[in-house]
Amino acid sequence: MKKRKITYAFSIFILGMIFIVSFSYSTSFQYNALVMPIERENSNFYMSKNKENVKIQMTLTDYDSFLLLINEPLIDYNVSHLSISNLNITFANGSDISQGDAEDNVTIEISNNAYFSESYSVTYNNVSNCWETVIYVYYFSPRRYFVNLTVTTEDYYYNNTIFSYKVPFSIVFGSNSLIINSENNTLSNYCSISTEPHDLSDYILLLNSKVYANILNSTNDIVKTLVLVQTGFMGFYYTWSSGKINITNFSVGQYYSLVIVDYDDEIYVSEPSNIELFEKDETVKNSFEIIWIIIPISVIIVLHLLKREKKQ
């Protein structure tokens, strides 16, 4: 009887161990399945099997068989034209885009910050085996322009800025004068401004620019900014003035100005003006104080003398 009990207990023990091992193996397999890595590499799925641990791994790949290769073209620019040549656009398999569908095309878009935008077709030269075009820009207004290359096909779109250029001009500053009047605490600034070439002055200065003057002290800190308005014309130069500005709150010291033209998001700065000294006239102030003290005393003395004379 005792031997049976031992055998029965041993059997239960063996069955328990088998159950634990089976449960552990089942748990381990489920865990491996839950944590199997998924790597995002592309848009196509494929399955791979690791023979060591019999674990299935899913990998995400992305191979673009339509990849476009675009070189840096040769760009030539002057005041009359912009030419683009030696532009090569090929598919990943080495064939040129010109050998693709009829929907494949290449365009150049020229734009600026003033909401101007024009597109031009680029043609394929079968002799030089490259894309090229010539764009006439002599009528473009004086601004900075951005050249964007656009490539479109049935399944692909490419757009990027490949070049920027500026229609040449310059801001020419003439005399810049700062005038401070310490007696009446006023300041005014005058400046003459033109452009080169001169026939752009109206378009740039009068129509599309902000003109102002920064007043700086002896430590080169800006203490006041004045808006300048066009007040006249002398030869090729427009004259600009701030009018008389009250500067009662200015500190005693030296001041000068810089005139600034803001055109097409670019800043043009004049040479410094003459240096002016602002000094509050304390002598004048004290004289007025003395007068206001003397007048009442004089009135009292006169009244006293008149009263005394009347009594006599």
Side-chain angles (χ1 to χ4, degrees):
M1 188 72 177
K2 186 176 182 181
K3 187 174 181 180
R4 272 185 172 182
K5 288 182 178 180
I6 294 173
T7 303
Y8 182 74
F10 182 76
S11 299
I12 293 175
F13 174 76
I14 294 298
L15 289 173
M17 292 298 294
I18 292 173
F19 176 78
I20 292 172
V21 171
S22 299
F23 180 79
S24 299
Y25 179 80
S26 175
T27 305
S28 176
F29 179 80
Q30 292 177 10
Y31 178 78
N32 287 336
L34 290 174
V35 299
M36 71 175 179
I38 298 178
E39 300 175 4
R40 181 175 179 80
E41 296 175 359
N42 58 16
S43 58
N44 300 316
F45 290 95
Y46 69 88
M47 308 293 287
S48 64
K49 182 178 292 186
N50 189 324
K51 295 183 179 180
E52 295 180 1
N53 55 16
V54 196
K55 183 171 61 176
I56 295 176
Q57 180 176 353
M58 183 182 294
T59 305
L60 192 62
T61 61
D62 187 13
Y63 175 71
D64 186 3
S65 59
F66 187 75
L67 177 67
L68 283 177
L69 304 176
I70 302 174
N71 73 319
E72 292 186 8
L74 296 176
I75 300 176
D76 180 43
Y77 164 75
N78 59 36
V79 294
S80 64
H81 73 273
L82 173 72
S83 67
I84 298 175
S85 60
N86 197 38
L87 173 61
N88 295 308
I89 307 171
T90 58
F91 293 106
N93 61 8
S95 62
D96 195 282
I97 188 174
S98 64
Q99 302 171 24
D101 297 333
E103 297 179 4
D104 300 341
N105 62 80
V106 181
T107 58
I108 288 294
E109 180 188 42
I110 299 181
S111 61
N112 62 23
N113 292 328
Y115 307 105
F116 168 87
S117 178
E118 286 190 7
S119 295
Y120 306 87
S121 297
V122 184
T123 57
Y124 187 79
N125 189 323
N126 291 309
V127 176
S128 57
N129 295 322
C130 65
W131 295 84
E132 58 187 29
T133 186
V134 176
I135 302 169
Y136 293 97
V137 297
Y138 63 88
Y139 61 93
F140 282 14
S141 60
R143 288 184 179 275
R144 180 167 294 281
Y145 292 86
F146 303 92
V147 180
N148 297 324
L149 171 65
T150 302
V151 181
T152 57
T153 71
E154 184 177 1
D155 302 311
Y156 193 83
Y157 175 83
Y158 170 89
N159 180 268
N160 195 24
T161 300
I162 59 173
F163 181 65
S164 69
Y165 73 96
K166 181 179 177 182
V167 174
F169 74 93
S170 58
I171 301 292
V172 182
F173 292 96
S175 59
N176 177 25
S177 300
L178 177 67
I179 300 173
I180 292 180
N181 189 326
S182 296
E183 293 183 2
N184 54 21
N185 297 326
T186 60
L187 171 152
S188 54
N189 201 103
Y190 301 91
C191 187
S192 55
I193 310 172
S194 184
T195 64
E196 184 63 46
H198 295 302
D199 55 8
L200 298 177
S201 293
D202 288 356
Y203 180 87
I204 294 176
L205 296 176
L206 300 185
L207 301 177
N208 295 290
S209 289
K210 296 178 181 178
V211 182
Y212 56 94
N214 283 336
I215 309 302
L216 301 92
N217 58 20
S218 57
T219 58
N220 301 317
D221 297 319
I222 298 175
V223 296
K224 199 172 188 64
T225 298
L226 310 176
V227 176
L228 301 187
V229 295
Q230 192 267 324
T231 54
F233 185 75
M234 297 175 58
F236 292 116
Y237 287 82
Y238 283 104
T239 58
W240 299 77
S241 173
S242 65
K244 293 185 178 181
I245 308 299
N246 188 284
I247 54 171
T248 305
N249 60 342
F250 269 34
S251 302
V252 173
Q254 293 180 332
Y255 295 88
Y256 69 97
S257 71
L258 296 174
V259 173
I260 297 169
V261 175
D262 183 348
Y263 173 75
D264 195 27
D265 296 328
E266 294 192 21
I267 300 297
Y268 303 85
V269 184
S270 72
E271 292 293 326
S273 72
N274 55 297
I275 297 176
E276 284 281 281
L277 176 64
F278 177 62
E279 49 185 357
K280 297 180 180 180
D281 195 346
E282 299 294 339
T283 304
V284 174
K285 182 179 178 181
N286 292 336
S287 298
F288 277 105
E289 290 177 353
I290 293 171
I291 290 172
W292 283 109
I293 293 172
I294 292 175
I295 289 175
I297 295 174
S298 301
V299 171
I300 293 172
I301 292 173
V302 170
L303 290 175
H304 177 73
L305 292 175
L306 288 173
K307 186 178 180 181
R308 184 176 179 182
E309 184 178 352
K310 191 175 183 182
K311 284 181 180 181
Q312 291 177 352

